[in-house]
Amino acid sequence: MSVFVRVIAVLLTCLAIPAHALLIDFTSSTWSGVSGSMAGRNISGIAVTLSASGGSLTFNAADNAGCLGSAGAAGVPLACAGDGIGIGDDEVTNGNERLSVTFANPVDVLEIYLLDLFNNQQEQEMARISVTMNGAPTAVFDRNGGTDSGGFIITGITRNNVTQILFEAIGRQSDFSLAAISISVPEPGTLVLLGTGLLGLGLMRRKAR
């Protein structure tokens, strides 16, 4: 078998290995006790950093009823030790808060989940959020909560090759907490095989010369 054929075979193998999905669960006790303007965690080898302006990061362990009552029913396996990450009074409120999620390496965002959204409370809570990924505006998510939803919303927001997600509250009624982000990351073996393939291409080119 020629060097060229071997290299092509390796590269095809790389492409055949799928990425695996990972749920960054902000309702997990892993995030309990966060405060201040920045917090970081290593989740299954993925470095995740939260930063906030306009208030302090908050994890409210006592406010998890909406998560317990709705995330499980929706088939989303959240820990529900709290209602996720908010700002200030455990929610992103008053229209001047910014919540940023940064990944050390690019990931594919498969879904974003929000909690603490109700339309039967005095504030008529909603998630009206400008979502910016990698500095480019991606979506304005504007959705009222429902009395039967337990305050849990599946946004349908996806994007590939993301290193940062910025949530900006719009208006005083923008009131939510970040429950989870589902991401896809490459298997470690994929990167090793890809490196092997590139090395083979280099050797083939050198031999041809």
Side-chain angles (χ1 to χ4, degrees), residues 54-172:
S56 178
L57 291 168
T58 307
F59 179 94
N60 189 344
D63 190 9
N64 64 345
C67 182
L68 289 170
S70 58
V76 182
L78 299 183
C80 294
D83 70 345
I85 299 295
I87 294 177
D89 61 349
D90 92 342
E91 302 152 346
V92 180
T93 55
N94 299 323
N96 63 346
E97 290 90 351
R98 293 158 59 97
L99 175 63
S100 177
V101 182
T102 303
F103 303 99
N105 298 301
V107 301
D108 293 339
V109 173
L110 306 178
E111 185 56 85
I112 298 174
Y113 304 96
L114 303 175
L115 267 167
D116 202 53
L117 290 164
F118 297 91
N119 65 8
N120 61 342
Q121 296 183 7
Q122 184 177 357
E123 292 184 355
Q124 296 293 302
E125 298 171 349
M126 68 177 68
R128 188 155 191 253
I129 320 155
S130 171
V131 181
T132 302
M133 296 189 181
N134 297 344
T138 300
V140 173
F141 182 74
D142 192 345
R143 182 87 59 83
N144 283 326
T147 54
D148 59 346
S149 71
F152 179 70
I153 295 292
I154 300 173
T155 68
I157 296 174
T158 64
R159 185 163 176 179
N160 295 333
N161 198 35
V162 174
T163 55
Q164 184 184 57
I165 307 172
L166 176 63
F167 299 88
E168 294 181 89
I170 302 173
R172 293 185 61 85

